[in-house]
Amino acid sequence: MDSHAMDAFDVGRLVPGFRPPQADVDADAACRDAAALAAADTAMRRWRSPLDGPLRPGSERHRSETCRMFEQTFNPYRPAVLDWPVLAPATRARIVALPIWDIAVQTEGKARLRMAAYAATLGEADMRNALALNAWEEHRHKEVLSRMVAAYGIELAPEPPQPLPQDPEWAYLVTGYSECIDSFFAFGLFELARRSGLFPPALVDTFEPVMQEECRHILLFANWAGWHRARLSPWRRLRFELKVVRVWAFLAWERIGLARAVDGAGAAGGGAGQDNNFTLNGAQAMADDGVRLPTLLALCLAENERRFAGYDERLLRPATVPRLVRMALRLMRPFARRD
Ligand SMILES: [Fe+2]
Ligand SMILES: [Fe+2]
């Protein structure tokens, strides 16, 4: 029986015309079928447009193929049938004690609302539906998390109500770039967790499709941004770029604040305003603490490339964080091997 019913968030109510993926008995059965699961897992990681020729950002082809990618790589996994492995007492205690779960649940709630609110403003039906599906998947992340929290007996603080954003584009940019930052580091931390064996492989397996789903999300975001940018007049483009700069400044400030909150003794309350996503929080929970920074950054880069490698190379990729990290690694090189 489902004792952890989700809240009544409904993407379709915010985004006219959006039809959520069907949740029926057949889908549940399919999600218990190993062959169907494996096929869905493969389909979510590899995609190529059937069209020949370039996908020029801003063009209709670029938009339609971006949306087609997102729809065709959808993974129908169902949180209700995910396995939460029984953990050794020490492992379970380590997870429960992490001061991140309130932030993680609230961030998913914020992300679904912001994505749906922005999707509703779009005139192009395919892009509107793609962003609405992304919002629906964030809602599903929230469900995965609430089931995990329930399975391991983690206590959550009551969630504050989330108002609809006043500037949906700003809110979508904050969520999108936030996912680009967090997912990049989550990919590396997650691989570190897998290699170290610190957490049971079954738990790593449960998180794996969610991790790849974030890769799809930031792939969609990068292509939405490229499409959106290319269609703006020079004046509106300038305004948009200034907004993007403000978003990055806001996210940098927010992350510094978050690091301080998590370091401090009173972090359990979660603090205010964070946008860190659940994959980063989850991966942090699983990673080995003893790794050196350059090693971790190099692993993040490699994992980022591996996760994107299966998608059509004509689609845009998130570029800023990998570029900054490559630069940081170059700057660190002279200081390497001193310890
Ligand atoms: Fe998410
Ligand atoms: Fe996401």
Side-chain angles (χ1 to χ4, degrees):
M1 254 327 280
D2 189 356
S3 57
H4 309 294
M6 277 296 287
D7 52 28
F9 186 80
D10 177 3
V11 177
R13 219 181 304 152
L14 288 171
V15 187
F18 173 69
R19 284 189 298 115
Q22 287 303 306
D24 55 25
V25 179
D26 285 353
D28 262 356
C31 291
R32 289 191 173 90
D33 173 338
L37 273 178
D41 193 73
T42 304
M44 87 181 293
R45 289 162 202 277
R46 273 199 285 277
W47 184 87
R48 188 170 174 85
S49 164
L51 301 184
D52 290 331
L55 301 175
R56 190 173 45 78
S59 66
E60 258 184 51
R61 277 162 61 96
H62 175 236
R63 191 194 74 225
S64 73
E65 296 317 285
T66 296
C67 299
R68 200 205 299 248
M69 173 282 294
F70 200 68
E71 194 190 311
Q72 293 183 345
T73 54
F74 172 75
N75 185 333
Y77 75 83
R78 313 226 335 116
V81 296
L82 288 181
D83 277 333
W84 295 108
V86 177
L87 302 177
T91 307
R92 188 184 152 277
R94 181 185 153 99
I95 296 183
V96 171
L98 290 163
I100 59 176
W101 302 115
D102 293 309
I103 299 171
V105 171
Q106 290 172 26
T107 302
E108 298 301 330
K110 247 196 265 183
R112 69 183 180 184
L113 184 68
R114 291 167 169 190
M115 286 178 179
Y118 183 68
T121 69
L122 293 176
E124 294 76 3
D126 53 359
M127 192 58 96
R128 186 170 64 233
N129 280 329
L131 266 59
L133 179 59
N134 197 339
W136 186 91
E137 292 181 6
E138 300 302 347
H139 175 64
R140 185 167 61 171
H141 285 177
K142 196 161 185 281
E143 189 175 351
V144 171
L145 253 191
S146 36
R147 284 170 190 279
M148 178 187 165
V149 157
Y152 297 135
I154 299 166
E155 297 268 342
L156 288 183
E159 267 182 82
Q162 304 280 356
L164 264 176
Q166 289 189 342
D167 178 351
E169 186 187 70
W170 165 268
Y172 179 59
L173 286 168
V174 168
T175 290
Y177 284 118
S178 174
E179 284 206 333
C180 290
I181 300 170
D182 295 340
S183 300
F184 177 85
F185 293 106
F187 296 159
L189 286 164
F190 189 72
E191 177 58 13
L192 196 64
R194 197 186 65 74
R195 289 182 190 176
S196 73
L198 203 63
F199 275 59
L203 189 59
V204 173
D205 286 351
T206 303
F207 270 91
E208 173 51 46
V210 177
M211 208 52 77
Q212 191 63 29
E213 197 162 59
E214 284 305 341
C215 181
R216 282 172 63 249
H217 288 180
I218 60 178
L219 182 61
L220 173 65
F221 180 74
N223 283 279
W224 164 82
W227 168 74
H228 183 69
R229 273 194 167 98
R231 295 162 64 247
L232 296 173
S233 65
W235 170 238
R236 292 185 62 205
R237 172 80 188 259
L238 180 65
R239 274 193 9 198
F240 180 76
E241 299 301 346
L242 289 175
K243 202 175 201 175
V244 169
V245 169
R246 282 196 292 129
V247 166
W248 279 102
F250 170 76
L251 289 173
W253 169 81
E254 195 184 55
R255 270 150 188 74
I256 294 165
L258 183 72
R260 238 185 267 130
V262 172
D263 278 347
Q274 297 88 353
D275 290 282
N276 282 65
N277 73 26
F278 142 48
T279 47
L280 179 63
N281 290 323
Q284 250 164 5
M286 293 186 203
D288 187 346
D289 297 330
V291 71
R292 292 170 67 245
L293 185 61
T295 311
L296 175 63
L297 293 180
L299 185 59
C300 290
L301 269 177
E303 279 299 291
N304 187 63
E305 266 160 44
R306 184 182 69 80
R307 287 194 180 271
F308 279 105
Y311 303 111
D312 199 316
E313 71 285 352
R314 292 169 293 173
L315 292 176
L316 302 169
R317 265 71 170 152
T320 307
V321 182
R323 199 178 294 145
L324 288 174
V325 167
R326 255 182 234 114
M327 213 191 298
L329 277 173
R330 266 199 300 275
L331 290 173
M332 281 178 203
R333 209 171 290 151
F335 304 100
R337 310 241 152 262
R338 294 235 175 121
D339 50 353

